[in-house]
Amino acid sequence: MLDRYLHGRAEHISQEAPVPVVQVDGSEDRLGGAANVALNVVSLGARCTLVGAVGDDPNGRTVAGLLEAAGIEVDLVVAEDWRTTLKERVVSRQKQVARMDFETPMPSWIADEIAKRAEHRCRGVDALVIEDYDKGAVNIPQLVIESANGVPVIVDPKFKPFAEYRGAAILKPNRREFQRAVGHWPDEPALRQAGSALAKSSGVEAIALTRGGEGLTLLEASGDCLHLAALGIDVYDSTGAGDTVAATLGVCTARRWSRAESAHVANVAGGLVCAKSGTAAVGLPELNLALRSDSQVVPVPSGRRRLAAAVSRAQSNGEKVVFTNGCFDILHAGHVGYLKGARQLGDRLIVAVNDDDSVRRLKGRGRPVNNLEQRMRVLEELSSVDWVVSFSEETPETLLTEIRPDVLVKGGDYAPDEVVGADLVQGYGGEVRVLGLVEGCSTSQLVERIRSA
């Protein structure tokens, strides 16, 4: 869908009818529908391929252009006998005055073609998100779900019977959609019972019920229930919040996080987007910042015990975990290239960072230039880095013993057996690699040049 916003000022009431007259100053086009879900996925740093349909018309070409600009790979059915859905909103003083929908029924052949393309695109993916707006693009959900071939499926449904999504890992209805399926619930125990029973009878593993200002409730088919309170922010506009939650559930599930962890993060992301105007996406930096300030959520395993558990879980799923360590005081091009090279040696990269005291012992007075929290925060924002953990010991050997990575990487001109911890890693069957450094890139030299200047 294409979401178009007409911005202007409503300063008086029309003489023709009791409606405001808006003097339009400008317009803005945004991605809507499943395209907004895809935008949220890439905003969280993941790769995304969008399968869907647009009309062979100017609005369809606008959607395709916005998708390309956002870096979203597309496989779009372009239909000559159908026009792209347009939702046009008139906004005055940051409030919606009116909305006009331009929409026609979708020919049935489009759904068949979308299902075929989805089956082709599901090869090699980590998760599949189905956005079913009940507009005709997903006529028979089982055709798409079965094409996933074991990949976890997250579904954002509308008003089809939930059993039509049998086999999904997570079904994400809102309050209205859920209530249509189960009716009224008098209290929380009744909600938990009805939700778990519905998940079980529908053949889905769990239902993530979004409840607006009440937060999100995760209802497992097993009977377990987890309620997450809404983020404590002022709600500006709830448009597209469900899209953000679905996208975040998809990204977290693709990273093989548990449903509880995924729901925590998705709940915070959904709250953040409600503070924005119109259909919007949540970026990774703002989400990480909100997660760090939310005591209920731990987005990335930061403690050693939690990190060890996450590494073990990743390895049990066949992922190769790479480990490197250093001070990373002033991040420069050499660091970025080195970490990118290290990440290419496996599926996950852990960066262990010397705490401030150990940097002073290693580098001398006046170091580090940036404190531990700042250094870790910068590293967390690199797309090549999965986990960041600090250590206070002289060497990372104790940390290596606890988490047992598959590959230990160091930069420089060492021989592999000269790397600290090499004997330990090789002793349990791990690999040690040495990557060269970029010439002319040195934190110590940078510090010296700044002092000299």
Side-chain angles (χ1 to χ4, degrees), residues 283-353:
L284 188 59
E286 64 178 317
L287 179 56
N288 277 336
L289 183 63
L291 290 166
R292 279 193 288 269
S293 63
D294 183 354
S295 60
Q296 290 183 308
V297 180
V298 182
V300 177
S302 54
R304 290 191 177 187
R305 184 181 304 172
R306 186 178 287 270
L307 175 59
V311 169
S312 177
R313 186 165 62 244
Q315 290 170 329
S316 68
N317 288 322
E319 294 180 292
K320 181 183 286 188
V321 177
V322 182
F323 176 100
T324 192
N325 64 281
C327 300
F328 300 99
D329 192 2
I330 300 177
L331 201 70
H332 51 65
H335 289 138
V336 174
Y338 165 72
L339 292 174
K340 183 178 179 181
R343 179 64 167 74
Q344 290 172 345
L345 297 175
D347 302 298
R348 300 289 190 102
L349 175 62
I350 302 169
V351 179
V353 186

Side-chain angles (χ1 to χ4, degrees), residues 175-202:
R175 180 194 295 272
R176 183 178 169 212
E177 294 151 1
F178 184 81
Q179 195 162 24
R180 178 164 174 162
V182 301
H184 174 71
W185 57 90
D187 50 33
E188 289 300 303
L191 167 65
R192 291 195 294 270
Q193 184 177 0
S196 294
L198 179 61
K200 187 174 182 179
S201 64
S202 300

Side-chain angles (χ1 to χ4, degrees), residues 1-3 54-55 57 59 63 82-87 101-104 106 135:
M1 304 178 190
L2 179 63
D3 284 354
V54 293
D57 54 25
N59 289 335
V63 169
W82 177 72
R83 70 179 186 182
T84 306
T85 298
L86 170 66
K87 292 183 178 179
D101 289 4
F102 302 87
E103 190 169 25
T104 57
M106 183 179 287
K135 304 292 186 182

Side-chain angles (χ1 to χ4, degrees), residues 224-304:
D224 294 335
C225 175
L226 172 67
H227 180 70
L228 303 162
L231 198 63
I233 60 172
D234 293 329
V235 174
Y236 180 83
D237 187 347
S238 61
T239 304
D243 296 344
T244 299
V245 172
T248 309
L249 287 172
V251 171
C252 294
T253 301
R255 300 201 63 161
R256 296 180 173 87
W257 290 11
S258 71
R259 281 194 288 271
E261 290 171 323
S262 301
H264 272 299
V265 180
N267 184 53
V268 173
L272 288 175
V273 84
C274 287
K276 301 173 184 278
S277 172
T279 48
V282 172
L284 188 59
E286 64 178 317
L287 179 56
N288 277 336
L289 183 63
L291 290 166
R292 279 193 288 269
S293 63
D294 183 354
S295 60
Q296 290 183 308
V297 180
V298 182
V300 177
S302 54
R304 290 191 177 187

Side-chain angles (χ1 to χ4, degrees), residues 44 50 95 102 117 120 125 150 165 171 239 251 258 273 339:
L44 295 175
L50 174 64
K95 298 290 184 183
F102 302 87
R117 298 191 186 199
H120 172 70
V125 304
Y165 304 106
L171 202 60
T239 304
V251 171
S258 71
V273 84
L339 292 174

Side-chain angles (χ1 to χ4, degrees), residues 363-440:
K363 303 294 184 178
R365 188 177 176 183
R367 299 286 297 276
V369 175
N370 293 301
N371 64 34
L372 177 63
E373 181 181 356
Q374 293 171 335
R375 290 182 283 132
M376 292 182 70
R377 180 169 295 184
V378 170
L379 287 165
E380 285 172 354
E381 300 304 329
L382 295 179
S383 60
S384 56
V385 177
D386 292 283
W387 293 306
V388 181
V389 65
S390 64
F391 66 100
S392 58
E393 299 89 346
E394 295 295 328
T395 73
E397 288 184 288
T398 302
L399 190 54
L400 288 168
T401 302
E402 294 169 354
I403 62 178
R404 296 172 68 88
D406 301 293
V407 185
L408 170 61
V409 179
K410 198 66 180 173
D413 54 3
Y414 303 92
D417 58 357
E418 295 174 337
V419 175
V420 172
D423 54 346
L424 173 66
V425 173
Q426 290 170 333
Y428 61 72
E431 180 184 356
V432 178
R433 297 286 295 272
V434 177
L435 301 181
L437 297 178
V438 178
E439 292 295 328

